[in-house]
Structure formats: structure tokens, C-alpha cells
Amino acid sequence: MDSTQFSKLNKLIDGNIKLANERDCVVYTSELLTMDSSSSSEEGREQLTEGHATTRDTWGKGVEFLFSCIALSVGLGNVWRFPFIALENGGGAFLIPYLVVLLLVGRPIYYLEVIVGQFCSRGCIGAFDMAPIFKGVAYGQVYSTALATTYYACIMALTIRYLVVSFSDVLPWTYCLMEWGTQCVATGAAGNNSSTPVHGISSAELYFTRTVLREPENLDEGLGTPSWELVICLLVTWIIIALTLFKGIRSSGKASYFLALFPYVIMLILLVRAVTLPGAWQGIAYFIQPQWSQLLNPHVWYAAITQMFFSLAICFGTLIMYASFNDFNKRVHKDVIIITTIDSFTSILAGCIIFGILGNLAHETNTTDISQVVKGGAGLAFISYPEAIAKFKYLPQLFAVLFFFMLLVLGIGSNIGMATCVINVVKDRFPQLPHWQLATGASVIGFVCGLVYMTPGGQFILNLVDFYGCTFIALVLAIVELLAVSWIYGVKRLCSDIEFMLNVKTSFYWRICWAIVAPGLMFLVLIYMLVSYEPLTYKGVAYPQAAYMAGWLIWGLGVAQLPFWALYMIYQQPGQSFRSKLQLSLQPTANWGPRQPQQLQAYLLHRQRVVESKRQRGGFFFDNIFG
């Protein structure tokens, strides 16, 4: 730039501090773009659009985004976590707060993240150029997602282990071994034909804990050495993930057709079989029968929000990343309605299947209380379901293969999305690196980190990492993300961006949910979680003190991203005083907007007109949200 233009730019930057309420430091850049077409002006334009001209992957077809999001959101949480959480919190009464939370929290946040990703065509890190001081949110989310990816692969390894043995002539969890002692009760179709309830420990539970996991009662003697069988299964899991991600979203997008659709084929087969079993309808009725008194229990609403939060995979960075590969003008609001509806429908469908099978199990064992045949968490997938399938008199191996293959496909679909999010953070920073190197490197690291879960004490570690590294971190980061987008960047500006991108007006429903309802409910969830906090246990067994310290360290590393990156981004700003640096760090960067240079220039001019109109009519504080 020549000296005149440079002086003008400095004046505009200083003047921008006085316009902090508008949060529009992009105004000065739009003036640069309207300068004469001299060589120096071209240089300024190149600097402004730096990073936008570089090519970025896009979906092969628009429908691949839809299927990839379905594969990401519809996962193991729908199949085993939702039915168990519903049972714990009032059965059918849980469906009411669950659907309310879907409309007030789940769907609005899902739409918010997809819009932000599509608008800026950047990964979750670059998306926070809208408010650089909050970049720590994105880094914390990537950290949490990376942790989840490692232990999610562990669950896939267990699924492969069960899938392989499901081809045996006799399912290995249906009979007792001598080393299990006299307390074992066989769960095969011929194992218990008596109408009298049999007390003891089922062979399915002993097979899972003693043969597959070799699980100790506590961690007093350490974690132990990894099981070579599970290590091989873990290796196979990461090979599948690496091959799927070999060419980036071009390959994972093609795989999404199978990952999203095939589980429903198996679900329909299992549903038909489940409803034809004796006692199945009693189990389904038990699942959907409401206990109205539970609606006044705050824990039920807490459970509904956390289930929706993790079921839809919101506030983990993955949705922003997936949406960043969309066409800029894709009518994505329709996809959001479809995806969130399918996710909730799948949870209810899975609940009917599961409780139909468990109803049959209760019928076979002459048990009137179905809750007594259910084990939560991993036990529901690897103890209760295999135990119920073992009761099938015809072709139990076939239904075992179908069930565990469905779990594998669901888990791989979710894990692909999480791994892609982490890989693309590196890809955005080093675009010259080929996809196959990134996929291979991530898979190797994931495999090595996952070895700890393959030890006898691995489930203790999984439970610890899930709580401190994902659940606890994600809640804090989610609240800060909503405040950053809704209150700092501003709901009104976001709605203006949506109108520029999609040419649609944003209704008051979305605005009030983004600004008040969603962050408010998430904050109440965090408060409830802190107030009701008790030291974490696994199967009622407390952890060693060192494990709790490690858990808080894991949590601290994630949350510490907020102040670290906030201070760093303030330091990076060009202002002379701390106040000016702070104000600039709260505003979008100069090149914030669409990735394509032509669209960016049009957007900057659009923002200039919006700001001028806002100055003329005036406004007040809440105008940024509801105006």
C-alpha cells in the first residue's frame, strides 16, 4: 500500500475502537476494497483475502453431507444409552422432556453450528475468527473430541471381538466354564427352562468381565497388560478408519451412504423379530409407559439435556467441520430438520427393539420387573443384549451377527466424524500434507493411545476419560461457545449472515433459543452437575486418589485452553493499549466471511450497508439480538 492508504487504514483501525458496539472492524477492509484499482490496491486485496483463495475439499454431492451427519449423530448412544437413560428416568415420561429439549436446545444448536461452518467454510478453529478471544473453545473441543475418538475405538474393538465369536457353532456366552465356579447361570436357550427364577451371575456377564475384559475388582494392583485379542481388534478398527479417511471427505462421503443407511436395515430386521417374541409387548409398554411424577424431578431434565447433547454431537467441533465442506448457498436448514428428527426417531426405535428383547428375556426367566434384567453402559451392549439374543430358540448366531455388525457400523460412522474433525485441524494448518499421511498418522496415534483401554483395568480408564475428558469439558465449552456466538458476535448479525447466504429470514424461535433458552438451560445443567457432584466410581468402586488427580488434570488441560488462547489472541491484536487489543479481539477478524474472494467482497459491502443503516436508526443493547 502507499503511505496515504496506510495512514487511512490506521485511522480506520483506531476509529473502529469507538464503534465497538457495532463489532464491525470489517468496515475498514471494505473501504480498502473500494479503492482505485491500482497495483497497491491489488496488494491490499490480496492481503485481505489471504487464506481464502486456497482450495478446500467439498462434498462430492450435497446429499453426502446429510448422510455423513446422520452417520455421525446416529450412533451407539441411540442404541444402548438412550433406552437405559429413559428407563432410569421415568420410562415414557422421559420422552416428554427429551422432545422438549430437542426443540429448545438440540435442534437450535445443531442449526447454529451448521450455519457457522457453512458460512465461513473453515474448520472449528477458523470459525472462531468471528470472535478470536474465544478460539480456546475450539481448541478445547478438538482436545475433547480426540479423547473421545481413542476410547470410542475401544468400544469398536469389543464389538469386533463379539462379532467374530458370533459365528461360533455355540455362542460362547451361553454356557458356563469350570473356572467361573458354581455361581454361574447359563443363559442359552436350553440353559434355564425352569419357570422358577434362578439366582446367580449370568454366563453372559461372566464371559464379558472374566474372559473378554479380564476385569479386576479395583485398580489397587494397576491396569495389567493388554489382551492380545483385543489389541488385534483395536488394530482392525483403526485400519477401517484409516481406509475410510484415506482420501479425506471424498472417501468418507462415499462411505456415508452405507454407514448411514445400513444400520436401519438391521434395525428393521431386529424390530420384526423383537415384536414377535413372547413378552415383547410388555417390555415395549414398560419402555413407553409414563411415570408422570418424574416430570418434576430435575434429574430427568438434566438427563434429557445431556442425552440430547451427546446424541446429536453438538458443540464438539464436528458439525462445524462437516458443514464447512458445503456449497455456500446450500439450503441447509432443511437438512437440520431431517437429521435431528431421524436421530430422535432412531433413539425411540432402538428403545422399542431393546425393550422388546428384554421383555422376552423377563418372560423367559419369569421376572416381573424388567429393570432387573437391564445393565447400563457397556454392560447393556455386551451383557444384556447377548443374554437376550442367547434366549432365541432359532438362529441366535444370525441375530448376534446382525446386532454386533449394526453396532460396528454405527460406531465407525461416529468415529469417522470425530477423527475427521481432528485431522482437518491439522489439514487447515498444513494444507500441503496429503490426506493419506494425516489419516495414517492419526490412526497410529489413536491405536497407541487406545492400548490403555485394552488392559484389564481399561474400562476404569474409559469411564474416567469419558467423564472428565468429554462430559465435563464439553458442558463448559458449550456454554462459552453459545455466549460467544449469540452475545459477542450477536444473534442479529448471525441472522444477517444467514439472509446474505441463504436469502431467508430467521424466525424469532431460532433467535430466542440461541440467545436465551439454550445457553440458559446448559448453564443450569452445569450448576446441577456441580451441586450434585460426587467422586466418580465404576460399578460402585472408588478410584485411587491418583486417578482422581489424573481426571482433574485431563479436565484442566481442556478448560485451560480458554484463558490461554484468550490471552494469546489479545496479545496478537494491533492496538496500542490493552483496552484496544481487548476490543479488537472481541470483534471478527478483517477477513471474516465467506471463503471465496468474490463472495467475501460482496459480504463486506453488505456489512457496510447494514452498519450504516444501524447507525441511522440507532438502537439499544438488545437490538444486537432481537432487532
Side-chain angles (χ1 to χ4, degrees):
M1 300 181 185
D2 58 33
S3 59
T4 303
Q5 292 174 342
F6 187 79
S7 175
K8 184 175 183 180
L9 175 59
N10 281 332
K11 291 180 180 179
L12 287 167
I13 292 176
D14 293 337
N16 183 59
I17 298 174
K18 300 178 181 179
L19 300 175
N21 289 335
E22 281 84 1
R23 293 188 269 291
D24 285 312
C25 76
V26 293
V27 174
Y28 74 86
T29 60
S30 66
E31 293 198 22
L32 278 178
L33 291 176
T34 58
M35 292 180 180
D36 59 85
S37 57
S38 62
S39 60
S40 59
S41 180
E42 289 297 328
E43 180 183 353
R45 183 179 289 106
E46 289 176 3
Q47 292 177 357
L48 176 65
T49 59
E50 181 182 0
H52 285 254
T54 57
T55 58
R56 182 176 176 81
D57 288 340
T58 57
W59 298 109
K61 296 181 180 179
V63 73
E64 291 180 5
F65 167 75
L66 176 66
F67 284 127
S68 295
C69 286
I70 292 175
L72 170 68
S73 296
V74 178
L76 300 178
N78 302 78
V79 174
W80 90 55
R81 191 177 190 274
F82 176 85
F84 181 73
I85 294 297
L87 178 65
E88 277 191 328
N89 295 277
F94 176 78
L95 298 179
I96 297 176
Y98 178 78
L99 294 176
V100 170
V101 168
L102 168 67
L103 296 176
L104 298 182
V105 178
R107 183 171 290 171
I109 296 179
Y110 202 102
Y111 183 39
L112 175 73
E113 294 201 313
V114 169
I115 282 294
V116 170
Q118 179 171 306
F119 178 76
C120 66
S121 297
R122 314 177 198 200
C124 58
I125 305 295
F128 278 88
D129 284 343
M130 66 167 62
I133 196 174
F134 293 103
K135 273 189 180 288
V137 173
Y139 282 103
Q141 289 175 343
V142 172
Y143 167 78
S144 183
T145 301
L147 292 176
T149 303
T150 60
Y151 76 69
Y152 223 74
C154 158
I155 300 174
M156 294 303 93
L158 292 174
T159 304
I160 292 176
R161 172 77 163 75
Y162 269 79
L163 177 62
V164 171
V165 300
S166 295
F167 288 95
S168 304
D169 293 336
V170 179
L171 295 175
W173 58 83
T174 60
Y175 54 86
C176 296
L177 297 179
M178 292 292 295
E179 57 264 30
W180 294 346
T182 58
Q183 61 181 345
C184 175
V185 178
T187 60
N192 178 24
N193 294 322
S194 173
S195 60
T196 304
V198 179
H199 301 284
I201 303 177
S202 70
S203 58
E205 180 174 353
L206 290 171
Y207 176 78
F208 179 62
T209 57
R210 296 195 181 182
T211 300
V212 177
L213 297 180
R214 302 176 296 139
E215 190 171 76
E217 294 184 0
N218 52 56
L219 295 180
D220 291 345
E221 298 182 1
L223 297 177
T225 57
S227 165
W228 68 268
E229 292 177 327
L230 292 180
V231 169
I232 292 175
C233 293
L234 181 66
L235 178 63
V236 172
T237 299
W238 280 108
I239 289 175
I240 295 173
I241 294 173
L243 292 176
T244 307
L245 297 174
F246 197 74
K247 295 184 179 180
I249 64 162
R250 297 258 177 205
S251 56
S252 64
K254 299 296 185 295
S256 68
Y257 295 107
F258 176 79
L259 295 174
L261 296 177
F262 185 75
Y264 290 98
V265 176
I266 301 181
M267 282 187 189
L268 290 176
I269 295 174
L270 292 176
L271 178 65
V272 171
R273 178 56 181 150
V275 298
T276 57
L277 292 170
W281 288 104
Q282 286 78 5
I284 295 174
Y286 189 89
F287 168 56
I288 64 176
Q289 182 178 0
Q291 301 175 24
W292 300 110
S293 60
Q294 293 294 324
L295 288 178
L296 300 178
N297 185 350
H299 184 79
V300 175
W301 291 89
Y302 161 78
I305 291 178
T306 52
Q307 172 62 24
M308 180 64 64
F309 187 83
F310 294 103
S311 177
L312 290 176
I314 53 181
C315 298
F316 279 96
T318 50
L319 293 177
I320 294 178
M321 177 271 302
Y322 267 168
S324 69
F325 303 122
N326 278 344
D327 178 75
F328 183 73
N329 301 115
K330 179 178 173 60
R331 310 286 282 186
V332 75
H333 54 287
K334 297 179 181 178
D335 289 347
V336 170
I337 301 298
I338 294 173
I339 295 165
T340 53
T341 301
I342 288 178
D343 179 80
S344 298
F345 168 77
T346 305
S347 295
I348 297 173
L349 174 65
C352 292
I353 295 172
I354 298 322
F355 279 88
I357 294 175
L358 295 177
N360 171 254
L361 179 61
H363 173 79
E364 292 289 334
T365 57
N366 198 27
T367 302
T368 56
D369 188 359
I370 294 179
S371 65
Q372 296 301 312
V373 299
V374 176
K375 296 182 184 297
L380 186 59
F382 300 109
I383 298 177
S384 295
Y385 295 168
E387 186 175 349
I389 291 173
K391 295 292 183 182
F392 289 4
K393 295 180 180 179
Y394 303 103
L395 300 176
Q397 290 89 345
L398 173 62
F399 289 100
V401 169
L402 290 176
F403 176 75
F404 287 112
F405 188 65
M406 177 187 69
L407 284 187
L408 178 63
V409 173
L410 288 172
I412 291 296
S414 298
N415 216 349
I416 290 296
M418 293 187 291
T420 302
C421 177
V422 177
I423 288 173
N424 273 276
V425 171
V426 182
K427 180 67 175 178
D428 288 342
R429 180 65 180 84
F430 304 101
Q432 71 278 8
L433 294 178
H435 283 294
W436 70 267
Q437 289 185 4
L438 294 172
T440 303
S443 298
V444 170
I445 295 174
F447 171 74
V448 173
C449 293
L451 291 177
V452 68
Y453 304 115
M454 301 295 96
T455 61
Q459 294 299 305
F460 283 87
I461 303 303
L462 189 153
N463 188 50
L464 188 80
V465 174
D466 176 59
F467 179 76
Y468 288 103
C470 293
T471 304
F472 211 170
I473 292 177
L475 283 174
V476 175
L477 297 179
I479 295 170
V480 179
E481 176 186 327
L482 292 175
L483 293 177
V485 178
S486 301
W487 289 86
I488 304 302
Y489 186 73
V491 170
K492 185 181 179 185
R493 174 160 183 174
L494 180 65
C495 295
S496 175
D497 295 345
I498 295 173
E499 186 174 3
F500 173 80
M501 180 171 63
L502 304 179
N503 195 29
V504 295
K505 295 283 187 179
T506 303
S507 68
F508 184 77
Y509 158 73
W510 297 110
R511 295 172 185 245
I512 191 66
C513 287
W514 289 335
I516 305 295
V517 178
L521 288 177
M522 293 302 299
F523 181 74
L524 291 177
V525 166
L526 180 61
I527 294 299
Y528 179 84
M529 190 174 185
L530 293 173
V531 171
S532 60
Y533 172 79
E534 294 180 356
L536 185 68
T537 61
Y538 175 69
K539 293 183 177 180
V541 178
Y543 286 81
Q545 194 61 36
Y548 290 118
M549 294 176 62
W552 283 112
L553 177 62
I554 292 172
W555 178 84
L557 287 175
V559 176
Q561 303 299 315
L562 292 173
F564 174 80
W565 288 101
L567 293 174
Y568 178 76
M569 296 311 300
I570 292 173
Y571 172 77
Q572 289 289 97
Q573 300 307 312
Q576 297 297 320
S577 64
F578 177 80
R579 180 183 177 185
S580 63
K581 286 176 175 287
L582 175 62
Q583 288 179 326
L584 287 174
S585 68
L586 289 168
Q587 301 170 2
T589 59
N591 64 348
W592 166 254
R595 189 174 185 86
Q596 294 300 321
Q598 297 84 355
Q599 293 172 337
L600 175 61
Q601 293 179 37
Y603 172 69
L604 294 176
L605 294 175
H606 166 76
R607 286 302 307 161
Q608 189 176 27
R609 290 192 294 268
V610 170
V611 172
E612 290 175 353
S613 174
K614 186 175 181 179
R615 286 202 199 109
Q616 292 174 2
R617 73 172 186 272
F620 57 99
F621 181 73
F622 286 100
D623 181 63
N624 189 50
I625 296 176
F626 302 109

